[in-house]
Amino acid sequence: MPDRPRGPRLRRALLAALVTFAVAVPVSGAARPAAVPAPAPTALGPLRDAGQAALARRYAVSQHDIRAAGRTAAEHGDLRRAASLRGMAGPGRQFLAFDGRDGGRSTEVVGDLSTARRIAVLVPGAGVGLDAYWRLRRDARSLHRELGEGAAVVAWLGYRTPATVSPAALTTGRADGAVPGLRTLVEGLRAVRPAARISLLCHSYGSVICARSAPGTTADALVLYGSPGAGVPDAAALRTGARVWAGRSGGDWIARVPHVRVRVPFVATLGFGTDPVADRFGAEVFDAGDGGHSDYLLPGSRSLTNLARITAGAEPLGASR
């Protein structure tokens, strides 16, 4: 059930959430660009073989689909999308899957999945998409360098992310739609690399997706960072055997987002409830340094160091509990 606001502080938080919703409706509706058309991708079966030859075939098919989507975007006149897709189709890029329709979906591997002993799946939050995909790629490469040999990082853009300021970013609708895809990916990774350690690194709105995917997951670690809330009252409600971690950097504006859940009649439930770094949530809290909301995987940061250590199965530096 939605958390009931109690006292002046929560009433102010509720008001802030409602104001955000009221402002976001007209702004996001007017500013969101029209969908860029793309051809249907080549049909690929489930991930069943992590051998180098089988992966090379999947990568080649996805590269073909990315190039086709790039040509369509150029013909449509969206030069920004076309340029981004040209970069994604560059030499050496490894995509397990790609679909340029409806805002775009992709699953990219950084590293050698065929030999990986440690696998990190990056689950991004609001405002991430094909037009600025380089940011997700940058973070994946940064984490892979930190992890070193024997690791693979999977950058999973497997859903239509909401705009950062929008009604969709305040509700679980997009997360609910993303759950089947994330579960399928984790199941496939576990099937092809059964002995590997798999960690879900869930940033911002991505933590809502991971929370809803958590029951029954075979992932070893579930990491919620820069989170607005997970849509559950505490870590026990995730019903997962994965070790649950949470972190927030000192300069992250998400700390000012109200951690409430409020039912708005005839609309939706807004907000995601308990702050994952709060004691009552019950996650193990790690030191995420002092960076901003988009800085968790910056080279040299404490947050990158600790996210890599959690992925590797080591204790993070300066863990709170």
Side-chain angles (χ1 to χ4, degrees), residues 32-189:
R32 189 173 182 87
V36 181
T42 305
L44 290 170
L47 182 62
R48 292 197 178 99
D49 188 346
Q52 290 184 343
L55 289 174
R57 288 193 292 271
R58 287 186 75 100
Y59 298 155
V61 168
S62 293
Q63 287 281 34
H64 173 271
D65 290 340
I66 294 169
R67 287 192 291 270
R71 289 192 295 270
T72 301
E75 292 166 1
H76 182 67
D78 195 311
L79 302 183
R80 184 182 182 190
R81 175 67 57 84
S84 180
L85 292 173
R86 281 196 300 273
M88 294 172 72
R93 302 292 288 270
Q94 304 176 144
F95 286 85
L96 290 172
F98 175 84
D99 186 344
R101 300 171 298 176
D102 188 31
R105 312 285 190 276
S106 66
T107 304
E108 183 174 14
V109 177
V110 178
D112 189 351
L113 184 59
S114 68
T115 60
R117 302 185 302 275
R118 301 177 303 280
I119 301 172
V121 179
L122 297 185
V123 182
V128 179
L130 293 183
D131 290 340
Y133 181 81
W134 63 268
R135 296 173 183 167
L136 185 57
R137 163 78 171 179
R138 174 200 64 192
D139 287 349
R141 285 169 57 85
S142 177
L143 179 60
H144 183 255
R145 285 193 296 268
E146 188 75 14
L147 286 167
E149 186 178 354
V153 177
V154 180
W156 182 78
L157 183 59
Y159 72 112
R160 185 162 66 93
T161 63
T164 303
V165 181
S166 68
L170 296 174
T171 67
T172 64
R174 298 285 176 88
D176 292 334
V179 166
L182 182 57
R183 282 182 171 164
T184 297
L185 173 63
V186 174
E187 290 167 1
L189 293 172

Side-chain angles (χ1 to χ4, degrees), residues 282-295:
E284 298 184 74
V285 177
F286 67 93
D287 181 359
D290 298 317
H293 187 65
S294 300
D295 299 338

